PDB file of all heavy atoms in Angstrom:
ATOM      1  N   GLN N 131    -249.007 103.523-107.538  1.00 82.00           N
ATOM      2  CA  GLN N 131    -249.587 102.521-106.547  1.00 82.00           C
ATOM      3  C   GLN N 131    -248.912 102.712-105.125  1.00 82.00           C
ATOM      4  O   GLN N 131    -249.559 102.295-104.154  1.00 82.00           O
ATOM      5  CB  GLN N 131    -249.347 101.139-106.971  1.00 82.00           C
ATOM      6  CG  GLN N 131    -249.970 100.762-108.336  1.00 82.00           C
ATOM      7  CD  GLN N 131    -251.422 100.920-108.354  1.00 82.00           C
ATOM      8  OE1 GLN N 131    -252.132 100.425-107.462  1.00 82.00           O
ATOM      9  NE2 GLN N 131    -252.029 101.592-109.391  1.00 82.00           N
ATOM     10  N   GLN N 132    -247.791 103.180-105.112  1.00 87.00           N
ATOM     11  CA  GLN N 132    -247.051 103.360-103.822  1.00 87.00           C
ATOM     12  C   GLN N 132    -245.948 104.406-103.893  1.00 87.00           C
ATOM     13  O   GLN N 132    -245.195 104.456-104.856  1.00 87.00           O
ATOM     14  CB  GLN N 132    -246.359 102.067-103.377  1.00 87.00           C
ATOM     15  CG  GLN N 132    -245.787 102.029-101.984  1.00 87.00           C
ATOM     16  CD  GLN N 132    -245.185 100.736-101.577  1.00 87.00           C
ATOM     17  OE1 GLN N 132    -244.795  99.954-102.369  1.00 87.00           O
ATOM     18  NE2 GLN N 132    -245.159 100.462-100.224  1.00 87.00           N
ATOM     19  N   SER N 133    -246.032 105.414-102.984  1.00 90.00           N
ATOM     20  CA  SER N 133    -245.057 106.506-102.993  1.00 90.00           C
ATOM     21  C   SER N 133    -243.635 105.975-102.691  1.00 90.00           C
ATOM     22  O   SER N 133    -243.514 105.105-101.888  1.00 90.00           O
ATOM     23  CB  SER N 133    -245.452 107.475-102.000  1.00 90.00           C
ATOM     24  OG  SER N 133    -244.466 108.570-101.890  1.00 90.00           O
ATOM     25  N   HIS N 134    -242.667 106.440-103.466  1.00 95.00           N
ATOM     26  CA  HIS N 134    -241.289 106.083-103.256  1.00 95.00           C
ATOM     27  C   HIS N 134    -240.384 107.284-102.800  1.00 95.00           C
ATOM     28  O   HIS N 134    -240.791 108.411-103.176  1.00 95.00           O
ATOM     29  CB  HIS N 134    -240.656 105.485-104.566  1.00 95.00           C
ATOM     30  CG  HIS N 134    -241.079 104.075-104.801  1.00 95.00           C
ATOM     31  ND1 HIS N 134    -242.367 103.657-105.042  1.00 95.00           N
ATOM     32  CD2 HIS N 134    -240.281 102.935-104.862  1.00 95.00           C
ATOM     33  CE1 HIS N 134    -242.455 102.373-105.180  1.00 95.00           C
ATOM     34  NE2 HIS N 134    -241.223 101.927-105.204  1.00 95.00           N
ATOM     35  N   SER N 135    -239.311 107.044-102.169  1.00 97.00           N
ATOM     36  CA  SER N 135    -238.344 108.048-101.793  1.00 97.00           C
ATOM     37  C   SER N 135    -237.303 107.952-102.976  1.00 97.00           C
ATOM     38  O   SER N 135    -236.694 106.950-103.143  1.00 97.00           O
ATOM     39  CB  SER N 135    -237.676 107.783-100.516  1.00 97.00           C
ATOM     40  OG  SER N 135    -238.655 107.745 -99.527  1.00 97.00           O
ATOM     41  N   ILE N 136    -237.087 109.103-103.627  1.00 97.00           N
ATOM     42  CA  ILE N 136    -236.248 109.148-104.799  1.00 97.00           C
ATOM     43  C   ILE N 136    -234.788 109.599-104.400  1.00 97.00           C
ATOM     44  O   ILE N 136    -234.673 110.687-103.807  1.00 97.00           O
ATOM     45  CB  ILE N 136    -236.755 110.089-105.904  1.00 97.00           C
ATOM     46  CG1 ILE N 136    -238.207 109.683-106.322  1.00 97.00           C
ATOM     47  CG2 ILE N 136    -235.830 110.050-107.138  1.00 97.00           C
ATOM     48  CD1 ILE N 136    -238.910 110.720-107.171  1.00 97.00           C
ATOM     49  N   VAL N 137    -233.768 108.773-104.774  1.00 98.00           N
ATOM     50  CA  VAL N 137    -232.437 109.248-104.691  1.00 98.00           C
ATOM     51  C   VAL N 137    -231.880 109.286-106.136  1.00 98.00           C
ATOM     52  O   VAL N 137    -231.953 108.299-106.784  1.00 98.00           O
ATOM     53  CB  VAL N 137    -231.555 108.301-103.774  1.00 98.00           C
ATOM     54  CG1 VAL N 137    -230.097 108.624-103.907  1.00 98.00           C
ATOM     55  CG2 VAL N 137    -232.003 108.381-102.310  1.00 98.00           C
ATOM     56  N   GLY N 138    -231.433 110.417-106.570  1.00 96.00           N
ATOM     57  CA  GLY N 138    -230.979 110.571-107.930  1.00 96.00           C
ATOM     58  C   GLY N 138    -229.502 110.904-108.024  1.00 96.00           C
ATOM     59  O   GLY N 138    -229.016 111.843-107.221  1.00 96.00           O
ATOM     60  N   THR N 139    -228.754 110.255-108.845  1.00 95.00           N
ATOM     61  CA  THR N 139    -227.328 110.509-109.090  1.00 95.00           C
ATOM     62  C   THR N 139    -227.154 111.477-110.246  1.00 95.00           C
ATOM     63  O   THR N 139    -226.009 111.867-110.521  1.00 95.00           O
ATOM     64  CB  THR N 139    -226.492 109.251-109.349  1.00 95.00           C
ATOM     65  OG1 THR N 139    -226.898 108.692-110.554  1.00 95.00           O
ATOM     66  CG2 THR N 139    -226.713 108.208-108.261  1.00 95.00           C
ATOM     67  N   VAL N 140    -228.129 111.932-110.894  1.00 92.00           N
ATOM     68  CA  VAL N 140    -228.069 112.747-112.010  1.00 92.00           C
ATOM     69  C   VAL N 140    -228.592 114.150-111.649  1.00 92.00           C
ATOM     70  O   VAL N 140    -229.494 114.285-110.795  1.00 92.00           O
ATOM     71  CB  VAL N 140    -228.979 112.227-113.295  1.00 92.00           C
ATOM     72  CG1 VAL N 140    -228.281 111.015-113.895  1.00 92.00           C
ATOM     73  CG2 VAL N 140    -230.377 111.871-112.844  1.00 92.00           C
ATOM     74  N   PRO N 141    -228.096 115.233-112.278  1.00 91.00           N
ATOM     75  CA  PRO N 141    -228.416 116.581-111.946  1.00 91.00           C
ATOM     76  C   PRO N 141    -229.885 116.869-112.287  1.00 91.00           C
ATOM     77  O   PRO N 141    -230.422 116.408-113.308  1.00 91.00           O
ATOM     78  CB  PRO N 141    -227.504 117.450-112.646  1.00 91.00           C
ATOM     79  CG  PRO N 141    -226.929 116.570-113.833  1.00 91.00           C
ATOM     80  CD  PRO N 141    -226.996 115.190-113.319  1.00 91.00           C
ATOM     81  N   PRO N 142    -230.580 117.739-111.517  1.00 94.00           N
ATOM     82  CA  PRO N 142    -231.952 118.089-111.872  1.00 94.00           C
ATOM     83  C   PRO N 142    -232.081 118.913-113.125  1.00 94.00           C
ATOM     84  O   PRO N 142    -233.136 119.025-113.754  1.00 94.00           O
ATOM     85  CB  PRO N 142    -232.411 118.877-110.632  1.00 94.00           C
ATOM     86  CG  PRO N 142    -231.181 119.487-110.036  1.00 94.00           C
ATOM     87  CD  PRO N 142    -230.091 118.391-110.310  1.00 94.00           C
ATOM     88  N   GLN N 143    -231.022 119.538-113.579  1.00 91.00           N
ATOM     89  CA  GLN N 143    -231.008 120.314-114.766  1.00 91.00           C
ATOM     90  C   GLN N 143    -231.046 119.506-116.074  1.00 91.00           C
ATOM     91  O   GLN N 143    -231.357 119.993-117.094  1.00 91.00           O
ATOM     92  CB  GLN N 143    -229.854 121.316-114.826  1.00 91.00           C
ATOM     93  CG  GLN N 143    -229.889 122.436-113.793  1.00 91.00           C
ATOM     94  CD  GLN N 143    -229.293 122.040-112.415  1.00 91.00           C
ATOM     95  OE1 GLN N 143    -228.865 120.902-112.234  1.00 91.00           O
ATOM     96  NE2 GLN N 143    -229.199 122.955-111.589  1.00 91.00           N
ATOM     97  N   HIS N 144    -230.650 118.172-115.986  1.00 89.00           N
ATOM     98  CA  HIS N 144    -230.656 117.332-117.104  1.00 89.00           C
ATOM     99  C   HIS N 144    -232.054 116.832-117.281  1.00 89.00           C
ATOM    100  O   HIS N 144    -232.756 116.469-116.358  1.00 89.00           O
ATOM    101  CB  HIS N 144    -229.622 116.217-116.889  1.00 89.00           C
ATOM    102  CG  HIS N 144    -229.485 115.207-118.054  1.00 89.00           C
ATOM    103  ND1 HIS N 144    -230.345 114.205-118.255  1.00 89.00           N
ATOM    104  CD2 HIS N 144    -228.614 115.265-119.054  1.00 89.00           C
ATOM    105  CE1 HIS N 144    -229.933 113.565-119.330  1.00 89.00           C
ATOM    106  NE2 HIS N 144    -228.928 114.252-119.854  1.00 89.00           N
ATOM    107  N   MET N 145    -232.477 116.601-118.540  1.00 89.00           N
ATOM    108  CA  MET N 145    -233.875 116.241-118.803  1.00 89.00           C
ATOM    109  C   MET N 145    -234.292 115.010-118.082  1.00 89.00           C
ATOM    110  O   MET N 145    -235.382 114.909-117.533  1.00 89.00           O
ATOM    111  CB  MET N 145    -234.167 116.040-120.319  1.00 89.00           C
ATOM    112  CG  MET N 145    -235.514 115.957-120.730  1.00 89.00           C
ATOM    113  SD  MET N 145    -236.427 117.461-120.317  1.00 89.00           S
ATOM    114  CE  MET N 145    -238.157 116.945-120.515  1.00 89.00           C
ATOM    115  N   TYR N 146    -233.414 113.971-118.017  1.00 91.00           N
ATOM    116  CA  TYR N 146    -233.695 112.703-117.291  1.00 91.00           C
ATOM    117  C   TYR N 146    -233.868 112.962-115.790  1.00 91.00           C
ATOM    118  O   TYR N 146    -234.821 112.516-115.257  1.00 91.00           O
ATOM    119  CB  TYR N 146    -232.569 111.757-117.620  1.00 91.00           C
ATOM    120  CG  TYR N 146    -232.572 110.487-116.763  1.00 91.00           C
ATOM    121  CD1 TYR N 146    -233.698 109.749-116.506  1.00 91.00           C
ATOM    122  CD2 TYR N 146    -231.361 110.023-116.292  1.00 91.00           C
ATOM    123  CE1 TYR N 146    -233.593 108.598-115.709  1.00 91.00           C
ATOM    124  CE2 TYR N 146    -231.272 108.832-115.510  1.00 91.00           C
ATOM    125  CZ  TYR N 146    -232.468 108.130-115.218  1.00 91.00           C
ATOM    126  OH  TYR N 146    -232.346 106.973-114.525  1.00 91.00           O
ATOM    127  N   GLY N 147    -232.924 113.705-115.224  1.00 93.00           N
ATOM    128  CA  GLY N 147    -233.036 114.076-113.816  1.00 93.00           C
ATOM    129  C   GLY N 147    -234.219 114.941-113.530  1.00 93.00           C
ATOM    130  O   GLY N 147    -234.849 114.834-112.478  1.00 93.00           O
ATOM    131  N   PHE N 148    -234.506 115.851-114.405  1.00 95.00           N
ATOM    132  CA  PHE N 148    -235.600 116.786-114.339  1.00 95.00           C
ATOM    133  C   PHE N 148    -236.936 115.934-114.234  1.00 95.00           C
ATOM    134  O   PHE N 148    -237.771 116.224-113.347  1.00 95.00           O
ATOM    135  CB  PHE N 148    -235.618 117.722-115.449  1.00 95.00           C
ATOM    136  CG  PHE N 148    -236.648 118.757-115.522  1.00 95.00           C
ATOM    137  CD1 PHE N 148    -236.886 119.571-114.475  1.00 95.00           C
ATOM    138  CD2 PHE N 148    -237.414 118.904-116.609  1.00 95.00           C
ATOM    139  CE1 PHE N 148    -237.857 120.599-114.448  1.00 95.00           C
ATOM    140  CE2 PHE N 148    -238.455 119.889-116.666  1.00 95.00           C
ATOM    141  CZ  PHE N 148    -238.684 120.734-115.551  1.00 95.00           C
ATOM    142  N   GLU N 149    -237.056 115.077-115.173  1.00 95.00           N
ATOM    143  CA  GLU N 149    -238.300 114.257-115.235  1.00 95.00           C
ATOM    144  C   GLU N 149    -238.391 113.306-114.045  1.00 95.00           C
ATOM    145  O   GLU N 149    -239.534 113.143-113.391  1.00 95.00           O
ATOM    146  CB  GLU N 149    -238.431 113.510-116.455  1.00 95.00           C
ATOM    147  CG  GLU N 149    -238.660 114.321-117.788  1.00 95.00           C
ATOM    148  CD  GLU N 149    -238.642 113.477-119.018  1.00 95.00           C
ATOM    149  OE1 GLU N 149    -237.867 112.541-119.085  1.00 95.00           O
ATOM    150  OE2 GLU N 149    -239.511 113.712-119.853  1.00 95.00           O
ATOM    151  N   SER N 150    -237.331 112.527-113.815  1.00 95.00           N
ATOM    152  CA  SER N 150    -237.426 111.371-112.991  1.00 95.00           C
ATOM    153  C   SER N 150    -237.151 111.594-111.492  1.00 95.00           C
ATOM    154  O   SER N 150    -237.240 110.717-110.711  1.00 95.00           O
ATOM    155  CB  SER N 150    -236.436 110.271-113.552  1.00 95.00           C
ATOM    156  OG  SER N 150    -236.793 109.911-114.847  1.00 95.00           O
ATOM    157  N   THR N 151    -236.682 112.877-111.222  1.00 96.00           N
ATOM    158  CA  THR N 151    -236.584 113.192-109.715  1.00 96.00           C
ATOM    159  C   THR N 151    -237.467 114.402-109.399  1.00 96.00           C
ATOM    160  O   THR N 151    -238.369 114.238-108.560  1.00 96.00           O
ATOM    161  CB  THR N 151    -235.137 113.463-109.363  1.00 96.00           C
ATOM    162  OG1 THR N 151    -234.664 114.654-110.118  1.00 96.00           O
ATOM    163  CG2 THR N 151    -234.238 112.310-109.717  1.00 96.00           C
ATOM    164  N   VAL N 152    -237.315 115.542-110.016  1.00 97.00           N
ATOM    165  CA  VAL N 152    -238.098 116.709-109.701  1.00 97.00           C
ATOM    166  C   VAL N 152    -239.531 116.532-109.989  1.00 97.00           C
ATOM    167  O   VAL N 152    -240.436 116.704-109.122  1.00 97.00           O
ATOM    168  CB  VAL N 152    -237.408 117.895-110.408  1.00 97.00           C
ATOM    169  CG1 VAL N 152    -238.304 119.155-110.121  1.00 97.00           C
ATOM    170  CG2 VAL N 152    -235.998 118.215-109.911  1.00 97.00           C
ATOM    171  N   LEU N 153    -239.886 116.296-111.284  1.00 97.00           N
ATOM    172  CA  LEU N 153    -241.233 116.207-111.712  1.00 97.00           C
ATOM    173  C   LEU N 153    -241.967 115.000-111.072  1.00 97.00           C
ATOM    174  O   LEU N 153    -243.149 115.036-110.784  1.00 97.00           O
ATOM    175  CB  LEU N 153    -241.365 116.123-113.175  1.00 97.00           C
ATOM    176  CG  LEU N 153    -240.963 117.407-113.935  1.00 97.00           C
ATOM    177  CD1 LEU N 153    -241.131 117.119-115.393  1.00 97.00           C
ATOM    178  CD2 LEU N 153    -241.804 118.499-113.584  1.00 97.00           C
ATOM    179  N   LEU N 154    -241.214 113.904-110.823  1.00 96.00           N
ATOM    180  CA  LEU N 154    -241.820 112.712-110.158  1.00 96.00           C
ATOM    181  C   LEU N 154    -242.168 113.059-108.715  1.00 96.00           C
ATOM    182  O   LEU N 154    -243.034 112.446-108.128  1.00 96.00           O
ATOM    183  CB  LEU N 154    -240.911 111.557-110.242  1.00 96.00           C
ATOM    184  CG  LEU N 154    -241.480 110.125-110.108  1.00 96.00           C
ATOM    185  CD1 LEU N 154    -242.635 109.947-111.148  1.00 96.00           C
ATOM    186  CD2 LEU N 154    -240.384 109.083-110.336  1.00 96.00           C
ATOM    187  N   ALA N 155    -241.401 113.947-108.073  1.00 96.00           N
ATOM    188  CA  ALA N 155    -241.734 114.426-106.763  1.00 96.00           C
ATOM    189  C   ALA N 155    -242.965 115.319-106.793  1.00 96.00           C
ATOM    190  O   ALA N 155    -243.813 115.298-105.865  1.00 96.00           O
ATOM    191  CB  ALA N 155    -240.568 115.057-106.115  1.00 96.00           C
ATOM    192  N   LEU N 156    -243.048 116.159-107.772  1.00 97.00           N
ATOM    193  CA  LEU N 156    -244.192 117.132-107.823  1.00 97.00           C
ATOM    194  C   LEU N 156    -245.491 116.443-108.254  1.00 97.00           C
ATOM    195  O   LEU N 156    -246.605 116.772-107.651  1.00 97.00           O
ATOM    196  CB  LEU N 156    -243.799 118.199-108.854  1.00 97.00           C
ATOM    197  CG  LEU N 156    -242.827 119.296-108.449  1.00 97.00           C
ATOM    198  CD1 LEU N 156    -242.503 120.170-109.643  1.00 97.00           C
ATOM    199  CD2 LEU N 156    -243.254 120.037-107.218  1.00 97.00           C
ATOM    200  N   HIS N 157    -245.388 115.548-109.245  1.00 96.00           N
ATOM    201  CA  HIS N 157    -246.669 115.001-109.668  1.00 96.00           C
ATOM    202  C   HIS N 157    -246.676 113.451-109.921  1.00 96.00           C
ATOM    203  O   HIS N 157    -247.529 112.940-110.582  1.00 96.00           O
ATOM    204  CB  HIS N 157    -247.083 115.631-111.059  1.00 96.00           C
ATOM    205  CG  HIS N 157    -247.815 116.941-110.930  1.00 96.00           C
ATOM    206  ND1 HIS N 157    -249.116 116.961-110.597  1.00 96.00           N
ATOM    207  CD2 HIS N 157    -247.367 118.202-110.918  1.00 96.00           C
ATOM    208  CE1 HIS N 157    -249.573 118.193-110.392  1.00 96.00           C
ATOM    209  NE2 HIS N 157    -248.516 119.002-110.660  1.00 96.00           N
ATOM    210  N   GLY N 158    -245.761 112.813-109.186  1.00 94.00           N
ATOM    211  CA  GLY N 158    -245.722 111.392-109.311  1.00 94.00           C
ATOM    212  C   GLY N 158    -246.025 110.736-107.989  1.00 94.00           C
ATOM    213  O   GLY N 158    -245.816 109.497-107.758  1.00 94.00           O
ATOM    214  N   GLY N 159    -246.335 111.523-106.977  1.00 92.00           N
ATOM    215  CA  GLY N 159    -246.621 111.030-105.653  1.00 92.00           C
ATOM    216  C   GLY N 159    -245.399 110.586-104.839  1.00 92.00           C
ATOM    217  O   GLY N 159    -245.556 109.934-103.811  1.00 92.00           O
ATOM    218  N   CYS N 160    -244.220 111.003-105.283  1.00 96.00           N
ATOM    219  CA  CYS N 160    -243.025 110.590-104.596  1.00 96.00           C
ATOM    220  C   CYS N 160    -242.397 111.837-103.886  1.00 96.00           C
ATOM    221  O   CYS N 160    -242.853 112.892-103.934  1.00 96.00           O
ATOM    222  CB  CYS N 160    -242.026 110.052-105.647  1.00 96.00           C
ATOM    223  SG  CYS N 160    -242.583 108.564-106.493  1.00 96.00           S
ATOM    224  N   ALA N 161    -241.313 111.504-103.148  1.00 97.00           N
ATOM    225  CA  ALA N 161    -240.514 112.611-102.492  1.00 97.00           C
ATOM    226  C   ALA N 161    -239.085 112.392-102.857  1.00 97.00           C
ATOM    227  O   ALA N 161    -238.578 111.230-102.836  1.00 97.00           O
ATOM    228  CB  ALA N 161    -240.747 112.454-100.986  1.00 97.00           C
ATOM    229  N   CYS N 162    -238.358 113.399-103.074  1.00 97.00           N
ATOM    230  CA  CYS N 162    -236.943 113.334-103.547  1.00 97.00           C
ATOM    231  C   CYS N 162    -235.957 113.703-102.415  1.00 97.00           C
ATOM    232  O   CYS N 162    -236.261 114.508-101.523  1.00 97.00           O
ATOM    233  CB  CYS N 162    -236.741 114.145-104.770  1.00 97.00           C
ATOM    234  SG  CYS N 162    -236.825 115.980-104.509  1.00 97.00           S
ATOM    235  N   TRP N 163    -234.847 113.070-102.509  1.00 98.00           N
ATOM    236  CA  TRP N 163    -233.671 113.389-101.596  1.00 98.00           C
ATOM    237  C   TRP N 163    -233.010 114.628-102.179  1.00 98.00           C
ATOM    238  O   TRP N 163    -232.817 114.742-103.417  1.00 98.00           O
ATOM    239  CB  TRP N 163    -232.674 112.243-101.482  1.00 98.00           C
ATOM    240  CG  TRP N 163    -231.372 112.542-100.850  1.00 98.00           C
ATOM    241  CD1 TRP N 163    -230.165 112.607-101.397  1.00 98.00           C
ATOM    242  CD2 TRP N 163    -231.188 112.935 -99.485  1.00 98.00           C
ATOM    243  NE1 TRP N 163    -229.205 112.890-100.389  1.00 98.00           N
ATOM    244  CE2 TRP N 163    -229.874 113.125 -99.257  1.00 98.00           C
ATOM    245  CE3 TRP N 163    -232.106 113.021 -98.387  1.00 98.00           C
ATOM    246  CZ2 TRP N 163    -229.332 113.458 -98.015  1.00 98.00           C
ATOM    247  CZ3 TRP N 163    -231.576 113.387 -97.136  1.00 98.00           C
ATOM    248  CH2 TRP N 163    -230.329 113.578 -96.931  1.00 98.00           C
ATOM    249  N   ALA N 164    -232.721 115.654-101.315  1.00 97.00           N
ATOM    250  CA  ALA N 164    -232.177 116.923-101.814  1.00 97.00           C
ATOM    251  C   ALA N 164    -230.820 116.851-102.418  1.00 97.00           C
ATOM    252  O   ALA N 164    -230.545 117.652-103.253  1.00 97.00           O
ATOM    253  CB  ALA N 164    -232.214 117.926-100.631  1.00 97.00           C
ATOM    254  N   GLY N 165    -230.006 115.912-102.064  1.00 95.00           N
ATOM    255  CA  GLY N 165    -228.647 115.906-102.513  1.00 95.00           C
ATOM    256  C   GLY N 165    -228.518 115.198-103.886  1.00 95.00           C
ATOM    257  O   GLY N 165    -229.545 114.653-104.425  1.00 95.00           O
ATOM    258  N   ARG N 166    -227.350 115.326-104.471  1.00 92.00           N
ATOM    259  CA  ARG N 166    -227.035 114.541-105.669  1.00 92.00           C
ATOM    260  C   ARG N 166    -225.723 113.739-105.478  1.00 92.00           C
ATOM    261  O   ARG N 166    -224.685 114.146-105.826  1.00 92.00           O
ATOM    262  CB  ARG N 166    -226.782 115.599-106.840  1.00 92.00           C
ATOM    263  CG  ARG N 166    -226.546 114.817-108.208  1.00 92.00           C
ATOM    264  CD  ARG N 166    -226.678 115.757-109.352  1.00 92.00           C
ATOM    265  NE  ARG N 166    -225.648 116.834-109.330  1.00 92.00           N
ATOM    266  CZ  ARG N 166    -224.421 116.677-109.887  1.00 92.00           C
ATOM    267  NH1 ARG N 166    -224.032 115.490-110.390  1.00 92.00           N
ATOM    268  NH2 ARG N 166    -223.592 117.646-109.921  1.00 92.00           N
TER     269      ARG N 166
END
């Protein structure tokens, strides 16, 4: 419903970080912060 800016404290290589930061930026309409 609304795009969010994602800040993640978990690494992108971990399944949770992979899904909820990287994939959510690619196909969830969001944009991720590059840092961890």
Side-chain angles (χ1 to χ4, degrees):
Q131 301 298 315
Q132 186 176 27
S133 176
H134 282 61
S135 302
I136 304 170
V137 171
T139 67
V140 287
Q143 291 86 356
H144 185 273
M145 192 64 193
Y146 169 45
F148 181 55
E149 289 178 320
S150 299
T151 62
V152 175
L153 293 178
L154 203 54
L156 289 174
H157 274 282
C160 297
C162 67
W163 172 246
R166 182 169 66 86

